[in-house]
Amino acid sequence: MVFNEDFLHYVWKFKLFDFKDLTTTDGQKLDVISVGMHNLNAGPDFSNSRIRIGDTTWAGNTEIHLAASDWEKHKHTTDNAYDNVVLHVVYRNDQSIAAPDGRTLPTLELRDRIPADLYLRYHQLLLVNERRIIPCQATLKTVNAINLHSWLTRVLVERLDKRTSAVIDALKNNQGDWETTFYQFLAANFGFSVNALPFELLAKSLPQNILAKHKNNALQIEALIFGQAGFLNEEYLDEYPQRLKNEYSFLRKKYQLSPIEKHLWKFMRLRPQNFPTIRLAQFAALVIQSQHLFSKILEFKDVRDVKELFSNIDVNTYWETHYRFDQESKLLSKTFGKASVNLLLINTVALMLFAYGRHYKQEQYVDKSLLLLESLPFERNHVVDDFEEMGVKIKNAFESQALLELKNNYCNHKKCLQCGIGNHILNLK
């Protein structure tokens, strides 16, 4: 049977081997009091283990190998980090091993102590049918809804914790200003994946406090946003872009602004409704209608209140008949769609609430973040579609975001032994 050290780590960690009449390889009675803490960094595999050999209780580290000889192959004998190893756990004991201090290292051989059906489930889960979308595709239906939801809750929090690191880094760069940090993340997410970078650069090149000074003049807000985006360096025939250009020319000099390069914006393979010009117009409309947006988000009592902040955004009527400057099109409303609002709530609002709660250790904001995700419909993408085809019933964005994390950071890397779903499948009786 083929397996690796990760499998032995799993067997040791969850005590899935036969404990009856345990002895070391040299015949001494062995009791495992505590397997210790799994160490995922450099050094011995498990720390703070407690074992009893004969009448002596030992506290220290446990090292795990497929074969005892791997100890020397990995040069542990000359590594002081392994001085405090009190037990060597191996699948196959092919030689006697000396610890760095010269003593014979107590060894436990697991070869005849691991249940055969555990081998089989592991083999079926990880090592066969490489064309599966996820390793447990064939057995996922055996996991009950309670166990599935419990694990999805954990991986969702992992996802938000990782993304929180980027928020805190930005917060430091913004001297602790949450409104500015929110504004920058909101802008980046207005570009979705295709135009996230130029939107982020735009927000960083156009401080929010400048926009606030012109909150009562919609044309100037639009001029600042389109100008800083690099769209007002050309000559236009239509009156609207001409007026924007005139306003921006004055404001650019007043605030000594430098626009980003227009070529950064991508139009190719986008539906016209998603053209960056339309997204910029919608972003301008939100800025015009909203002041101190993050403060309002922190104060919301009902999720409907925060959704309302992003609803009914009135875009300049020019865009009802245009997708680009000077290029007239059929009459069509360019209001910010419900699906787009939901994506902003998922990727910006929920994240920022979570980060704020984590940063200040105020769990009510973490709870608000999770409650918001539970209230939003799940987004459509190929990962969600795949899980639906496997029979997973997805109810909201809370679950779809968790499934993205599960697929990208567990399933794709075959981390089944670190996954609650994989553990459940392997431990089925």
Side-chain angles (χ1 to χ4, degrees), residues 6 22 53 121 148 189 206 212 217 234 238 252 256 264 280 325 363 423:
D6 284 344
L22 280 183
I53 300 176
R121 289 196 298 275
L148 180 62
N189 285 317
L206 182 58
N217 191 319
E234 303 171 24
D238 288 350
R252 178 181 179 180
Q256 297 182 319
L264 294 172
L280 287 165
F325 290 126
E363 285 301 309
N423 286 342

Side-chain angles (χ1 to χ4, degrees), residues 29-47:
K29 182 181 178 182
L30 172 66
D31 292 311
V32 179
I33 302 168
S34 170
V35 297
M37 297 292 294
H38 199 182
N39 174 32
L40 300 179
N41 301 310
D45 297 315
F46 286 80
S47 59

Side-chain angles (χ1 to χ4, degrees), residues 346-359:
I346 291 168
N347 294 315
T348 308
V349 177
L351 170 61
M352 293 296 293
L353 282 169
F354 187 93
Y356 188 89
R358 279 288 201 245
H359 186 66

Side-chain angles (χ1 to χ4, degrees), residues 178-180 182-183 186-187 190 208 283 285-300 305-311 313 344-345 348-349 352-353:
W178 280 93
E179 288 286 353
T180 295
F182 178 80
Y183 160 70
L186 181 67
F190 247 90
Q208 193 179 29
F283 184 62
L286 179 61
V287 171
I288 292 164
Q289 292 177 209
S290 307
Q291 295 296 321
H292 305 295
L293 191 54
F294 188 59
S295 297
K296 294 176 182 176
I297 287 168
L298 290 176
E299 294 169 0
F300 84 86
D305 297 335
V306 74
K307 291 178 183 178
E308 194 64 31
L309 293 172
F310 294 86
S311 302
I313 299 174
L344 284 182
L345 294 172
T348 308
V349 177
M352 293 296 293
L353 282 169

Side-chain angles (χ1 to χ4, degrees), residues 151-160 402-403 405-406 410:
W151 182 249
L152 290 182
T153 300
R154 174 170 167 173
V155 295
L156 174 65
V157 172
E158 286 180 9
R159 178 179 180 83
L160 290 170
L403 289 170
E405 183 72 13
L406 178 68
Y410 286 89

Side-chain angles (χ1 to χ4, degrees), residues 34 148 201 235 274 303:
S34 170
L148 180 62
L201 295 175
E235 297 298 327
N274 294 326
V303 291

